[in-house]
Amino acid sequence: MKNIILWLAKVILIILAVFIGLIAMDYFFSPDWLTDSVAFCILALSFFVYVLMSTIKAKHSPKATKRQRVDFEIDDLNLPEEKHTKKPLKILKPVLAIVLIFLIMILGFNIFGNRDIEDIPQNVIEFGEKYPEASDYVKNFNKYKDEDFDMDVSKEMSERNIPLFIQWDKRWGYKDYGGNYVGVAGCGPTCVAMVACGLEQDAAINPYVVSQYAAQQGFYTYGQGTSWDIMTTGARHYGLEVSSGSVSVDYILNNLTSSTPLICSMAPGDFTKTGHFIVLTSITDDGQIIVNDPNSPKNSKKHWDVDILVSQMKSVWKYTYNY
């Protein structure tokens, strides 16, 4: 029993040392790669490495070798086999260790995952609950809310004709938008930014810039959302020509091109639980629609059937830019 207590004490010290190191690293350096999953893997790996090394050391220790020689000598003498009174203790050691490591990891995740959560605005928490893809945005709220990031969008511009901007991107997602946050309520300005930036090839147009303009013009009302005026008056402010379209399959297929993107207001469905704006950027060779969803990288990777989109569509606007 004494050996088990000493072994458990070593396990506790090692796991606590790793755990404290992770907390210190997160507190002082806040690396982006240090997520809950990574912390879990590091703790688990530390435990298994220690168990493996302990096992190897025990098998090759002088005591173990001597014990094996004694066992062989006893077998040669054909003496009655003793009861293995220590077997339950050998089983107890790994069981206790496994229980201990899981208790420590659960405690760790509660600290990592819930630290300072009481300081996160309720509307941000609710947004993350509705849209799991934005979970990192919510988790990192206190870490990034006062940071000023470089808003260079040249990478996005090089990847798509109409660049994909995500409203809760840390570069602008924590910025104020009419008393709310761009990450939570900025789908409208983000869509206008995608279209204007893409058609004009102007890297100075990004979701933060458009959201500030929209808020100043009174296009956003907290609790109600962004006015459709941003799709017309707001777009013209950035030099775009805009016209309202009809919500129909024929209109989408006859008007959507890479140089004439469409912004759509969407009802609850595949894209939103309340209301939302998305950009239709082009049509594939097999008639599928390519979508830039400012709230979902996953939706933006899919190709969509036009009938599905139209069935959830409330309004649509067509954009062009005269060079």
Side-chain angles (χ1 to χ4, degrees):
M1 180 61 71
K2 181 179 179 181
N3 290 337
I4 290 180
I5 294 175
L6 291 174
W7 189 79
L8 285 177
K10 291 180 181 179
V11 172
I12 293 173
L13 289 175
I14 290 174
I15 297 303
L16 284 178
V18 174
F19 180 64
I20 292 172
L22 290 172
I23 292 179
M25 182 181 296
D26 186 58
Y27 181 81
F28 289 107
F29 303 104
S30 301
D32 291 338
W33 57 266
L34 187 56
T35 62
D36 289 348
S37 298
V38 172
F40 176 87
C41 291
I42 292 175
L43 285 170
L45 182 62
S46 301
F47 168 69
F48 287 117
V49 167
Y50 175 74
V51 171
L52 180 62
M53 292 180 65
S54 298
T55 303
I56 294 174
K57 182 178 179 181
K59 286 185 177 180
H60 293 83
S61 66
K63 288 184 178 180
T65 304
K66 182 178 180 181
R67 190 181 303 114
Q68 290 177 356
R69 288 200 301 268
V70 171
D71 290 342
F72 290 146
E73 292 172 359
I74 292 175
D75 290 340
D76 292 340
L77 294 174
N78 294 320
L79 295 176
E81 184 178 356
E82 295 183 2
K83 293 183 179 180
H84 298 286
T85 57
K86 293 186 177 181
K87 187 173 182 180
L89 296 180
K90 292 181 179 180
I91 296 175
L92 183 62
K93 182 188 288 187
V95 171
L96 288 176
I98 291 173
V99 171
L100 178 64
I101 189 65
F102 275 106
L103 288 175
I104 292 176
M105 286 189 291
I106 290 172
L107 175 63
F109 286 131
N110 284 333
I111 294 176
F112 275 112
N114 298 322
R115 186 172 61 245
D116 297 331
I117 193 169
E118 65 275 6
D119 296 329
I120 299 177
Q122 186 61 33
N123 65 322
V124 175
I125 295 175
E126 292 174 355
F127 177 76
E129 292 172 349
K130 289 180 181 178
Y131 306 104
E133 284 184 79
S135 60
D136 284 344
Y137 166 77
V138 177
K139 183 181 69 174
N140 293 321
F141 184 87
N142 289 318
K143 182 188 296 186
Y144 294 140
K145 65 178 181 179
D146 297 320
E147 295 287 334
D148 289 320
F149 294 98
D150 182 3
M151 296 189 186
D152 177 37
V153 296
S154 56
K155 181 177 182 293
E156 287 84 355
M157 293 176 67
S158 67
E159 293 173 345
R160 299 191 182 198
N161 184 49
I162 301 297
L164 172 62
F165 297 150
I166 299 300
Q167 63 194 65
W168 35 264
D169 187 302
K170 68 180 181 181
R171 289 173 290 181
W172 45 71
Y174 301 100
K175 300 297 184 182
D176 178 79
Y177 178 42
N180 207 325
Y181 299 93
V182 176
V184 174
C187 58
T190 303
C191 285
V192 172
M194 285 191 272
V195 172
C197 175
L199 291 181
E200 300 179 32
Q201 288 297 290
D202 186 351
I205 303 175
N206 59 56
Y208 173 69
V209 170
V210 179
S211 66
Q212 295 307 293
Y213 162 77
Q216 292 169 3
Q217 298 300 311
F219 292 151
Y220 177 75
T221 302
Y222 190 93
Q224 297 182 20
T226 302
S227 167
W228 285 3
D229 289 341
I230 193 176
M231 300 303 160
T232 53
T233 305
R236 293 188 183 103
H237 171 77
Y238 288 100
L240 299 176
E241 294 187 6
V242 56
S243 60
S244 297
S246 62
V247 178
S248 68
V249 171
D250 288 341
Y251 180 84
I252 301 299
L253 296 179
N254 292 332
N255 287 273
L256 176 59
T257 69
S258 59
S259 59
T260 56
L262 309 176
I263 293 181
C264 305
S265 174
M266 306 300 288
D270 291 310
F271 298 92
T272 178
K273 298 183 183 302
T274 52
H276 191 43
F277 294 104
I278 62 173
V279 181
L280 311 187
T281 63
S282 59
I283 304 175
T284 64
D285 293 338
D286 59 354
Q288 297 288 292
I289 308 299
I290 298 176
V291 170
N292 278 9
D293 182 349
N295 191 35
S296 175
K298 290 183 179 179
N299 284 343
S300 302
K301 292 179 181 178
K302 298 178 183 178
H303 292 171
W304 293 83
D305 185 87
V306 65
D307 292 302
I308 293 177
L309 295 175
V310 170
S311 68
Q312 302 174 42
M313 200 177 294
K314 295 192 293 184
S315 190
V316 59
W317 298 269
K318 175 182 175 181
Y319 298 89
T320 57
Y321 178 69
N322 294 324
Y323 295 90

